[in-house]
């Protein structure tokens, strides 16, 4: 998989060299390249923004540098196997199933906007050539798409076959099939007693049936409390 990042702050992507993502790059599982959008400007001030057509506050990113960057980084031929991501608070929610689908593609290009956003023709052009996605991480506003692109990268790359040391830990976490659509239950390890707080007794009982039930009940309770939007996981009381 090859990942490209187009941004006026390419230094945000220096962190891709560290941690497990860096290891995935070293092992040749993924290839990641950050680019400075200003490299595709031609004026003395390397201008990437202009005032919004129709008026209003703030600035809008000009289409020209994006188009020339696309020509050089992706090419000028249509190719639906190239996925072009536009992180934006007005995008569709980015989900675990979207991460799952992206984990099997060969090419992802992240277009990180700043200011009020990117001239919409850039998105229309990308959609006419490649597979384009406008995605949001949640209902809050970041200053630009860079941090969102990093979050999406981590969500996707850890699902690339061969990334995880123990693929079993993928099946059990929040928002995966192994949890039946519920949040993950709380985890504990030794010591059994720590600063006056004890590991729940059932987890030390060795009774696999009771442990599984406790975990299912805790998952249902947490999901009900924190994420009622995920569905009805009952009250836990049997009538
Ligand atoms: Cl994907 N981008 C920006 N700029 N802000 C966000 C976001 C994305 N998701 C939530 N807030």
């Amino acid at each position: 998989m090859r990942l490209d990042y187009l941004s006026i702050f390419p230094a945000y992507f220096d962190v891709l060299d560290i941690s497990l993502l860096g290891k995935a790059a070293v092992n040749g599982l993924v290839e990641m390249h950050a680019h400075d959008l200003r490299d595709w400007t031609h004026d003395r001030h390397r201008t990437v923004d202009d005032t919004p057509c129709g008026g209003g506050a703030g600035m809008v990113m000009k289409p020209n540098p994006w188009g020339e960057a696309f020509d050089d980084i992706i090419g000028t031929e249509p190719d639906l196997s190239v996925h072009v991501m536009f992180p934006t608070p007005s995008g569709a929610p980015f989900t675990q199933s979207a991460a799952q689908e992206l984990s099997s593609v060969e090419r992802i290009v992240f277009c990180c906007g700043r200011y009020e956003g990117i001239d919409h023709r850039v998105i229309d052009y990308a959609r006419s050539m490649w597979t384009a996605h406008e995605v949001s991480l949640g209902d809050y506003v970041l200053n630009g798409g860079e941090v969102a692109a990093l979050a999406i990268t981590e969500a996707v790359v850890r699902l690339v076959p061969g990334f995880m040391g123990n693929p079993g830990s993928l099946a059990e976490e929040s928002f995966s099939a192994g949890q039946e659509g519920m949040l993950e239950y709380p985890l504990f390890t030794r010591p059994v007693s720590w600063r006056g707080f004890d590991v729940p007794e059932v987890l030390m009982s060795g009774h696999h049936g009771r442990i599984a039930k406790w975990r299912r009940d805790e998952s249902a309770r947490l999901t009900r409390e924190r994420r009622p939007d995920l569905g009805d996981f009952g009250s836990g009381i049997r009538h």
Side-chain angles (χ1 to χ4, degrees), residues 98-114:
Q100 196 67 250
E101 286 179 14
L102 284 172
S103 70
S104 65
V105 313
E106 271 308 310
R107 195 93 213 260
I108 305 174
V109 180
F110 290 95
C111 302
C112 304
R114 285 264 149 181

Side-chain angles (χ1 to χ4, degrees), residues 86-92 94 113-115 134-149 152:
F86 294 91
T88 165
S90 55
F94 183 74
R114 285 264 149 181
Y115 314 108
E134 289 177 89
V135 293
S136 166
L137 294 190
D139 294 338
Y140 45 84
V141 179
L142 304 172
N143 281 331
E146 286 81 5
V147 166
I152 293 167

Side-chain angles (χ1 to χ4, degrees), residues 5-50:
Y5 305 87
L6 257 169
S7 163
I8 58 167
F9 297 120
Y12 266 95
F13 302 97
D14 290 353
V15 296
L16 293 173
D17 293 342
I18 61 175
S19 183
L20 286 170
L21 285 175
K23 209 183 208 176
V26 167
N27 292 343
L29 214 56
V30 295
E31 197 183 313
M32 300 177 285
H33 302 279
H35 310 272
D36 188 343
L37 184 69
R38 293 192 201 275
D39 290 350
W40 288 276
T41 58
H42 304 288
D43 63 311
R44 281 205 321 119
H45 302 290
R46 310 184 86 201
T47 310
V48 293
D49 61 336
D50 202 342

Side-chain angles (χ1 to χ4, degrees), residues 46-69:
R46 310 184 86 201
T47 310
V48 293
D49 61 336
D50 202 342
T51 54
C53 293
M59 298 292 270
V60 175
M61 295 190 95
K62 297 160 61 66
N64 318 56
W66 292 100
E68 292 188 32

Side-chain angles (χ1 to χ4, degrees), residues 68-188:
E68 292 188 32
F70 290 161
D71 294 348
D72 288 349
I73 294 168
I74 315 177
T76 55
E77 298 295 327
D79 181 351
L80 293 179
S81 76
V82 177
H83 291 254
V84 183
M85 311 293 292
F86 294 91
T88 165
S90 55
F94 183 74
T95 60
Q96 186 65 20
S97 70
Q100 196 67 250
E101 286 179 14
L102 284 172
S103 70
S104 65
V105 313
E106 271 308 310
R107 195 93 213 260
I108 305 174
V109 180
F110 290 95
C111 302
C112 304
R114 285 264 149 181
Y115 314 108
E116 302 313 304
I118 305 172
D119 186 305
H120 199 73
R121 289 169 295 177
V122 174
I123 295 137
D124 290 336
Y125 176 73
R127 188 159 283 135
S128 77
M129 296 284 284
W130 309 295
T131 305
H133 310 264
E134 289 177 89
V135 293
S136 166
L137 294 190
D139 294 338
Y140 45 84
V141 179
L142 304 172
N143 281 331
E146 286 81 5
V147 166
L150 287 169
I152 293 167
T153 296
E154 194 157 304
V156 170
V157 172
R158 63 192 292 285
L159 299 176
V160 172
F163 179 81
M164 274 296 223
N166 170 19
S169 49
L170 286 179
E172 282 195 15
E173 66 201 2
S174 297
F175 304 111
S176 65
Q179 283 291 119
E180 302 171 48
M182 299 188 290
L183 302 182
E184 198 180 4
Y185 48 78
L187 300 170
F188 300 87

